[in-house]
Amino acid sequence: MRSPPIGVCTMEQPKRLQINLMPCRYPLRPDQWTLLLKHGMAAHGDLTRISQNPDGSDVQVFWGLKRRWGKQAIAQGKRCLVVERAYLGDRFRWHALGFDGLNGRADFCNADVPNDRWIKYWRSSVRPWKSGGEYALIIGQVPGDAALQGTDIFKWVENTAKEASKLYQKVFFRPHPLCKKRVDMPGVAVLGGDLGAALERAAVVITYNSNTAVDAVMAGVPAIAMDAGSMAWDVTSHTLEEPLYKGDRDDWGRRIAYAQWLPEELKSGEAWAHLRRFV
């Protein structure tokens, strides 16, 4: 995960911000990110409204980049806070919050953050880099996912498998669990089952920009991420030919720990306190 230039963020802000929260669907649940953020933003004195139409607010907040209102808000050039599933831990509990983009292309305002969250939540679970392994594992993604930015993931898998077979004796392909299309490639077997078990035996994990690269580097498995949208970009190699990255993960860790927040941190305003300074 690359940090955006510090100059992207400015410390100037109005006393009270106008914020438009755009939920995915109605009715809203009390534990939904929309109402959690509304509560946390109000704790800072900001004025919020809930709609599915971009307006003239200082900040537009929405989930992902696939829905009409999110695309319209980005096109208008307003400051947009994109909410998504997180990268470490329980991705259905934690929320990622970044400005103006998705995953590694978002601005998390985390260039100079401390390492407190990394140490508190994640550092103890990082495993030493492993050596050896039985195979190269290519990771699939959901076709048409916004993170792919139009890339044909099936074509990428096919081309990557051909090249990886020249370098590794065994190459396996792991489809995304939500991908319904069957992918068959000569000489490359499909490997399903538990991801943790698959990582245990892998020598390297090869991704386009899948979050599995994050899982891999946390498990000590060297990974290759071929697109800068990967949240593991800074701790991976980027081509099949270059040496596998087995360097420091703490600097990356302190930054990714400030890219995601617990529901109670959304509701209390702690998450917004970090991001609000940069509107």
Side-chain angles (χ1 to χ4, degrees), residues 168-182:
Y168 297 94
Q169 289 186 341
K170 291 184 180 179
V171 178
F172 286 98
F173 167 58
R174 180 181 174 85
H176 193 283
L178 298 180
C179 180
K180 298 179 180 179
K181 180 178 177 180
R182 180 181 175 88

Side-chain angles (χ1 to χ4, degrees), residues 80-180:
C80 295
L81 182 62
V82 182
V83 185
E84 257 291 355
R85 300 215 184 280
Y87 313 108
L88 297 168
D90 184 350
R91 302 184 67 200
F92 289 85
R93 182 169 183 238
W94 293 77
H95 293 77
L97 301 177
F99 286 115
D100 307 326
L102 194 63
N103 301 336
R105 292 185 169 90
D107 178 1
F108 298 104
C109 298
N110 58 355
D112 294 323
V113 294
N115 64 358
D116 56 333
R117 293 176 65 81
W118 173 240
I119 292 174
K120 179 179 180 179
Y121 293 115
W122 311 113
R123 192 181 188 189
S124 62
S125 61
V126 177
R127 296 175 61 181
W129 290 113
K130 67 181 290 187
S131 298
E134 299 177 26
Y135 49 74
L137 182 62
I138 300 174
I139 303 298
Q141 293 177 238
V142 178
D145 188 276
L148 295 173
Q149 294 193 319
T151 297
D152 184 334
I153 192 63
F154 296 119
K155 197 66 176 177
W156 175 82
V157 169
E158 181 181 352
N159 293 337
T160 302
K162 289 178 181 177
E163 295 303 313
S165 297
K166 300 175 184 177
L167 300 172
Y168 297 94
Q169 289 186 341
K170 291 184 180 179
V171 178
F172 286 98
F173 167 58
R174 180 181 174 85
H176 193 283
L178 298 180
C179 180
K180 298 179 180 179

